Amino acid sequence: MLAADLTLAHLAAALAIIACWFSYSFVLRTFARGSLNAQLATVRRRWIERLTARTVKPFDAILLGQIINAVAFFGSATLLVFAGILTAFANLTGVYATFEALPLAAPISIELFALQLAFLAFILSLSFFSFTYALRKLIYTLALTGALPDAGSAPGPEDDELRAATAAVLSEAVKTFNFGIRGYYYAVAALMMVVSPYASLATTAVVTVVLFYRQLATPSAHAIRRYVDALERDTLR
């Protein structure tokens, strides 16, 4: 049975989180083609091209290993946080009593509090699955990278296609990882529901603006855009 104090504002806050989280990549891809993600896809393609030009590749192996370690770390950390939330359900009455003592917490029923915890667990579970799927895609990337032609081998007509496919799988892995990372941002908005659904809506808006700002207007985004422009000029020569 749903909580008696569950309102349309609570549902709107939850839907806003899901809508912003899931539509973020589509909006960025459709209306912001010069975004950081798009620029880095070009950089990764260049990386794979340079990788096949090197006879010795310890640097590339280290980079791929660091990416895999980062994804695995976030997957493990998310699983621990998720386990903590499930533990809270085992002692829901005690956790709810502690929650009621918080000065900023809105007075809500224990049923609504359980729903809010469940929604937070749902977000974290999606992030966890994203991290594990990203890890799987990185394993694919390792296999594809290992099968790329070496610098000393005779060039073949399919070499460009092999490099493009490897870079595409690597970019897909990073895209899936980024989806999971954004889940952490929107988990903060979900957590703000304990204050009020309107606080959650405001936090969702702020988080979304911050994410778009980091993609389009930060000094790092501008620097990477200049890097890609330099790569394109070098290609045209």
Side-chain angles (χ1 to χ4, degrees):
M1 185 177 69
L2 291 178
D5 51 347
L6 178 65
T7 65
L8 288 177
H10 290 98
L11 295 176
L15 288 175
I17 290 172
I18 296 300
C20 290
W21 186 13
F22 278 77
S23 65
Y24 174 85
S25 294
F26 172 78
V27 173
L28 196 67
R29 184 171 59 251
T30 304
F31 300 103
R33 298 185 183 277
S35 66
L36 190 60
N37 286 348
Q39 302 292 335
L40 284 173
T42 302
V43 173
R44 283 187 285 271
R45 171 65 188 270
R46 174 70 170 184
W47 174 20
I48 298 301
E49 290 175 352
R50 298 306 303 160
L51 182 151
T52 56
R54 290 189 278 268
T55 54
V56 182
K57 305 177 178 66
F59 177 71
D60 305 293
I62 292 171
L63 289 179
L64 286 171
Q66 290 295 330
I67 295 172
I68 290 174
N69 288 337
V71 175
F73 168 78
F74 272 97
S76 299
T78 305
L79 188 61
L80 291 175
V81 176
F82 183 73
I85 294 177
L86 293 182
T87 303
F89 278 105
N91 186 29
L92 186 61
T93 304
V95 175
Y96 176 69
T98 303
F99 160 77
E100 282 189 310
L102 297 176
L104 292 178
I108 58 175
S109 66
I110 190 172
E111 292 83 7
L112 182 56
F113 178 68
L115 285 176
Q116 291 174 349
L117 277 182
F119 183 61
L120 184 59
F122 171 72
I123 292 175
L124 290 174
S125 65
L126 288 183
S127 292
F128 172 74
F129 289 131
S130 295
F131 294 141
T132 55
Y133 191 30
L135 189 60
R136 189 179 185 89
K137 290 180 179 179
L138 287 171
I139 300 301
Y140 300 156
T141 304
L142 289 179
L144 295 175
T145 303
L148 286 172
D150 290 325
S153 61
E158 73 285 353
D159 287 356
D160 286 341
E161 185 176 353
L162 294 177
R163 286 190 284 264
T166 303
V169 174
L170 178 57
S171 292
E172 283 296 314
V174 174
K175 185 187 301 182
T176 304
F177 174 69
N178 288 339
F179 179 83
I181 289 292
R182 284 193 293 272
Y184 270 75
Y185 285 87
Y186 287 109
V188 175
L191 191 60
M192 290 302 292
M193 282 192 190
V194 302
V195 179
S196 77
Y198 304 103
S200 178
L201 284 168
T203 305
T204 299
V206 170
V207 164
T208 304
V209 169
V210 168
L211 288 172
F212 276 106
Y213 168 74
R214 290 182 175 180
Q215 281 285 331
L216 302 172
T218 60
S220 297
H222 292 313
I224 293 173
R225 193 171 297 120
R226 292 196 303 271
Y227 185 99
V228 172
D229 290 341
L231 285 179
E232 291 175 349
R233 290 194 300 269
D234 182 63
T235 303
L236 293 175
R237 290 174 186 172

